[in-house]
Amino acid sequence: MNGWPSHPVIFEINTWVWLNDLGRSCGRPVTLATVPAKEWDTLAGLGIDAVWLMGVWERSPAGRQIALGDRGLMADCRRALSDLAPADVVGSPYCVRRYVVDEHLGGPHGLAAARQALRERGVRLMLDFVPNHVAPDHPWVRDHPEYFIHGGRDDLAADPGAFLEVGRHVFARGRDPYFPPWTDVLQLNAFAPGLREAAVEAVASIAEQCDGIRCDMAMLLLNAVFGRTWGLRAGDGPGVDYWREVIPAIKCRWPDFLFVAEAYWDLEWELQQQGFDYCYDKRLYDRLAHGDAEGIERHLLADAAYQERLVRFIENHDEPRAAATFPPPRARAAAVVALTVAGARLLHEGQIEGRRVRLPVFLGRRPDEPVDADLAAFYRRLVRATGHHAFRNGRWRLCERSGLPDNATSRHILAWCWEGRDERFLIVANLSDGAAQARVRVPWDDLRGRAWQLVDALSGERFERSGDEMRDVGLYVALESWCVHFLHLARPSASAGADANRATPSDQVSRPSVTELRPAERSLQHVDEDASLGGHELAPRKHHPDGV
């Protein structure tokens, strides 16, 4: 396969749970080596660029025992799985014993078979790397205790939840600076001599088996963050940051190997500067879930080079399920935004079908849930529509939009466009609970002098508009709450261009508030101001969310 596209679509799968479901449906155990071909076909048929098999590494028996003894965690597991049994608790995929594929999942041979199956279908493979901590029974604990943050017996007695005795040593449990420790893992010392070389070796072994990695809590390894978190226990910080050593060491051997950072706290830009290809965009997620169009617009006005290296999502294994978080119309509008703005796009297995239960990563089984057929059909249309070259390697731009006299609702509308090869797309979204209208200026000069066919990829509707109006005055759009237009601009015929040249520019300018986007079978004439508003509704009208 050639190199990664500029704006890839990545599909996350909880590997243990997925294989368990496949085994139940097949009536036999299924490993990565024995996944039915039709399942790989289904994944590839989504039009994705990569599958992230989350949680393939060897689980820790020691970590599992700690998890089983954690009452709060077990209560969380029972909320997700009412008939929970001890066998369902398989341990955290982020409590890694060894970077070797767990035999329950098919071992290294199974992963190789899965990678080959994906490669044959033009899909890349991503896996995990957990740089901040390892399981209590990881070989480094025995062989290289100097790689870890240590405590003393006094620390253990004073705070047993933050320290753990293994052998002759007391180790700090892994944590970030804002939350209690993760009780099942031990904290690595990012400042320790030798650890970074060992980390490079670990990542190199992973790079031999896949095309990219998602680095768990990557910002914790930044010198400034790590120093603040661990203070004197960490010792003196080295002159070079962790990732500035690890990433180049891998890229020199595998130039196309992709590094994706799980990142928070507005440290995305810093991690990009240290070599990450993409970083999580949690801020966009929060604004889609709880903010408004103006806040989303401010976020999208950041430098294009920064935007293009963010990962957009509305759910993943760390966040609640989108179907349980977003009211239905808002959920679909948010999905359109996340999958059509610049950057990498992340889909989570079960998101398309409308799963609502957020499963703790410690579990190997999940409850049965009904498929939301309407939502699944919507996602199929949306993902198919984003499969064009323009959305993978084209140029993305926000569009200017303006209001109308005595109508301030334009602030609820956002618009952006894509151009690539001979493809052009315009997406317009009303990100509010009420109807909104605006003029949207499309930034391509060669629109002028002809009519254009606008085909909505989600609704199938066709519209015809004047290129002069779209470029100069602005396309008039009127959208109901949480509705979008996903418009493909088709190149016009010669006769259509002649028709557009006969339009009266002065009339278009003189009555900007009364034209609307409308089906192509209607003539390019102006309509009354109280005519019905255009716009494709993403969900039935009966679903109107309360204020969020």
Side-chain angles (χ1 to χ4, degrees):
M1 287 185 288
N2 296 325
W4 287 81
S6 299
H7 309 278
V9 176
I10 301 166
F11 191 83
E12 179 190 2
I13 292 176
N14 184 327
T15 310
W16 198 299
V17 171
W18 182 62
L19 292 176
N20 181 72
D21 281 359
L22 291 179
R24 291 170 59 198
S25 64
C26 293
R28 58 174 175 80
V30 173
T31 71
L32 289 171
T34 60
V35 171
K38 66 178 182 179
E39 300 299 334
W40 299 124
D41 291 340
T42 298
L43 287 173
L46 291 172
I48 58 178
D49 299 294
V51 165
W52 164 21
L53 288 177
M54 189 275 284
V56 303
W57 305 125
E58 190 174 298
R59 304 290 170 104
S60 162
R64 178 175 179 271
Q65 287 303 119
I66 293 171
L68 285 167
D70 187 323
R71 292 183 179 180
L73 174 61
M74 289 301 99
D76 189 33
C77 290
R78 289 189 188 90
R79 281 190 290 270
L81 192 62
S82 60
D83 59 343
L84 179 72
D88 296 320
V89 181
V90 298
S92 169
Y94 296 99
C95 175
V96 176
R97 187 185 190 191
R98 292 190 302 162
Y99 284 102
V100 177
V101 180
D102 199 292
E103 286 299 325
H104 179 87
L105 307 178
H109 168 72
L111 182 67
R115 187 185 189 190
Q116 181 61 29
L118 290 169
R119 184 178 289 271
E120 289 171 357
R121 293 160 175 81
V123 179
R124 297 162 184 81
L125 174 64
M126 287 185 60
L127 301 173
D128 295 293
F129 176 56
V130 188
N132 186 67
H133 46 262
V134 296
D137 47 1
H138 189 286
W140 287 350
V141 178
R142 179 190 67 244
D143 299 336
H144 292 284
E146 71 275 12
Y147 290 174
F148 294 84
I149 296 287
H150 288 258
R153 293 191 178 277
D154 291 345
D155 298 310
L156 181 63
D159 192 356
F163 294 89
L164 181 67
E165 186 172 12
V166 181
R168 296 180 292 107
H169 299 276
V170 175
F171 297 95
R173 300 182 197 256
R175 67 178 177 91
D176 76 20
Y178 300 110
F179 293 96
W182 299 296
T183 58
D184 60 339
V185 293
L186 303 184
Q187 178 66 51
L188 291 166
N189 186 350
F191 294 170
L195 174 65
R196 295 183 184 188
E197 292 181 8
V200 168
E201 292 178 7
V203 176
S205 72
I206 298 171
E208 292 174 342
Q209 303 174 72
C210 65
D211 305 291
I213 52 173
R214 179 263 196 188
C215 298
D216 185 67
M217 300 292 281
M219 72 286 175
L220 294 182
L221 282 297
L222 295 173
N223 279 0
V225 174
F226 199 83
R228 286 196 304 270
T229 304
W230 292 104
L232 295 176
R233 293 187 189 276
D236 295 331
V240 179
D241 266 280
Y242 178 97
W243 295 114
R244 291 190 185 275
E245 291 191 29
V246 172
I247 293 176
I250 301 302
K251 291 277 193 179
C252 72
R253 296 176 60 185
W254 295 276
D256 291 331
F257 192 74
L258 201 75
F259 280 83
V260 175
E262 180 191 16
Y264 308 106
W265 314 332
D266 295 328
L267 291 170
E268 298 84 3
W269 184 86
E270 177 60 31
L271 288 164
Q272 290 178 2
Q273 305 317 298
Q274 295 200 15
F276 276 95
D277 297 289
Y278 298 96
C279 298
Y280 270 32
D281 189 4
K282 179 63 158 58
R283 186 168 293 276
L284 179 62
Y285 168 85
D286 290 338
R287 287 177 168 169
L288 288 170
H290 310 295
D292 57 22
E294 292 176 291
I296 294 168
E297 180 183 37
R298 286 193 299 272
H299 184 66
L300 296 178
L301 284 170
D303 182 75
Y306 169 75
Q307 297 280 346
E308 291 169 357
R309 294 171 64 187
L310 294 173
V311 180
R312 323 292 193 166
F313 57 87
I314 60 170
E315 73 168 66
N316 58 55
H317 71 265
D318 288 310
E319 305 293 345
R321 286 288 191 177
T325 302
F326 298 81
R330 185 170 189 147
R332 300 187 186 200
V336 172
V337 175
L339 288 173
T340 64
V341 296
R345 300 89 181 229
L346 177 64
L347 286 165
H348 185 206
E349 192 269 332
Q351 176 180 344
I352 290 174
E353 294 80 14
R355 282 188 172 270
R356 301 178 64 85
V357 175
R358 177 182 175 274
L359 196 74
V361 294
F362 295 82
L363 295 180
R365 180 172 68 90
R366 64 186 172 188
D368 294 328
E369 296 186 65
V371 173
D372 185 332
D374 289 342
L375 183 66
F378 159 76
Y379 266 109
R380 284 194 294 270
R381 293 193 301 270
L382 175 58
V383 176
R384 183 168 57 247
T386 61
H388 293 269
H389 172 271
F391 290 97
R392 296 301 206 274
N393 289 299
R395 182 185 181 189
W396 174 84
R397 283 187 277 181
L398 276 176
C399 296
E400 296 179 14
R401 49 91 167 89
S402 58
L404 307 169
D406 302 319
N407 184 342
T409 60
S410 63
R411 71 181 187 275
H412 301 310
I413 285 181
L414 287 184
W416 52 95
C417 60
W418 285 92
E419 180 179 18
R421 293 180 179 170
D422 294 329
E423 302 170 328
R424 299 183 187 189
F425 293 86
L426 172 66
I427 294 93
V428 187
N430 175 8
L431 303 178
S432 76
D433 291 331
Q437 303 84 38
R439 284 277 186 180
V440 175
R441 290 190 65 207
V442 187
W444 300 308
D445 290 337
D446 61 354
L447 294 178
R448 296 187 180 103
R450 64 195 72 183
W452 289 81
Q453 294 286 323
L454 311 180
V455 182
D456 195 308
L458 299 181
S459 70
E461 293 175 288
R462 293 177 177 270
F463 309 96
E464 188 173 293
R465 298 305 290 152
S466 160
D468 291 323
E469 181 176 2
M470 288 192 290
R471 180 67 187 96
D472 298 323
V473 181
L475 179 69
Y476 179 78
V477 291
L479 290 164
E480 296 297 326
S481 63
W482 304 108
C483 291
V484 304
H485 280 304
F486 191 127
L487 301 171
H488 177 212
L489 279 68
R491 290 195 174 276
S493 64
S495 60
D499 290 341
N501 288 332
R502 288 196 292 269
T504 306
S506 61
D507 186 43
Q508 294 170 0
V509 175
S510 64
R511 298 190 63 196
S513 64
V514 296
T515 57
E516 67 170 319
L517 188 61
R518 56 191 180 278
E521 57 268 20
R522 295 173 59 183
S523 63
L524 281 169
Q525 62 184 1
H526 294 299
V527 297
D528 294 335
E529 292 188 22
D530 59 354
S532 61
L533 300 177
H536 169 52
E537 191 167 21
L538 295 181
R541 288 181 182 273
K542 64 182 179 181
H543 295 298
H544 285 288
D546 295 327
V548 177

